[in-house]
Amino acid sequence: MMKLHLTGLCLCLASIALVAESNVFTEGDDLNHPRPNILVIFGDDVGTGDVPGYWNTGLVDMPNLEKFVQSGTILNDAHSTPLCAPSRYVFLSGNYQHRGERYQGTWNLNYKMNQFRDGQQSIANVLKSNGYETGMFGKWHLGGRIPLKDGFVPKKKIYPPKMMLLRLEGHDWSKPFEEGPWDIGF
């Protein structure tokens, strides 16, 4: 029997790692059965044969990743889209990508939003509400609002020119960008 760990979500070391620590106990926790730690390594543009544990055809020896595979939970029926930003939204929200702000996904930083609609919960929100600590490291690629200098009105309605993102005079990178990972529970 073939073991597929995250079909469509593509287990790899490259993109998003959602780390939830479970060594914080709350009243009523069963200390004999502590909650598991959760680590998600989310990669895009990875074939199921590229990483050990799918069909044992990995071209590169990855013994530490293989240990994760051997001791982790096997998911063999996961669905997503073939593109990175919509796939991240699908995984983090539990919704199809067309239920977000933009049906095709929100990829880049912009002047308006990330892909999450107001009031939508993420997997990080759910984990936090159940006593987990969460963190996100790596490629976000779900949009977010560019911090602007006071009084600056962008000429473009949504997206600035990509080549000017970091150096456009009206952008204020001394402020954090809004609608980022921390706004959906990380």
Side-chain angles (χ1 to χ4, degrees):
M1 177 178 162
M2 290 185 228
K3 293 180 180 178
L4 300 178
H5 293 19
L6 294 173
T7 301
L9 296 179
C10 303
L11 178 63
C12 186
L13 297 174
S15 290
I16 292 181
L18 164 68
V19 181
E21 257 182 56
S22 68
N23 45 358
V24 176
F25 293 99
T26 58
E27 187 175 331
D29 279 351
D30 182 355
L31 299 179
N32 294 321
H33 297 92
R35 293 173 292 168
N37 289 322
I38 300 169
L39 171 65
V40 175
I41 303 171
F42 188 101
D44 50 52
D45 298 326
V46 178
T48 55
D50 295 341
V51 179
Y54 283 95
W55 293 311
N56 297 321
T57 60
L59 299 174
V60 179
D61 187 29
M62 299 182 204
N64 292 327
L65 189 57
E66 187 63 35
K67 287 178 189 174
F68 275 129
V69 169
Q70 303 279 329
S71 64
T73 299
I74 306 296
L75 302 177
N76 58 15
D77 190 14
H79 304 274
S80 188
T81 66
L83 301 170
C84 62
S87 292
R88 283 174 176 72
Y89 174 74
V90 167
F91 177 75
L92 293 173
S93 71
N95 291 312
Y96 292 110
Q97 80 272 5
H98 60 272
R99 292 190 176 155
E101 280 293 334
R102 302 183 71 212
Y103 72 89
Q104 73 276 29
T106 303
W107 300 67
N108 300 315
L109 296 179
N110 57 72
Y111 295 129
K112 297 212 180 242
M113 74 289 189
N114 67 26
Q115 182 64 4
F116 281 78
R117 291 181 183 252
D118 286 339
Q120 275 187 323
Q121 290 235 338
S122 71
I123 190 172
N125 294 126
V126 172
L127 287 169
K128 272 192 168 181
S129 69
N130 284 283
Y132 282 88
E133 298 290 327
T134 61
M136 197 290 290
F137 309 92
K139 181 178 171 184
W140 172 242
H141 222 190
L142 285 173
R145 194 173 23 244
I146 296 168
L148 302 176
K149 291 182 179 176
D150 294 336
F152 176 75
V153 178
K155 292 178 184 174
K156 297 240 180 195
K157 290 185 178 180
I158 297 181
Y159 294 103
K162 287 182 185 179
M163 299 303 289
M164 299 297 290
L165 186 65
L166 295 176
R167 56 187 174 163
L168 197 65
E169 285 186 37
H171 296 179
D172 185 354
W173 292 107
S174 66
K175 301 176 186 174
F177 78 92
E178 300 167 357
E179 305 243 345
W182 44 88
D183 293 311
I184 64 157
F186 289 103

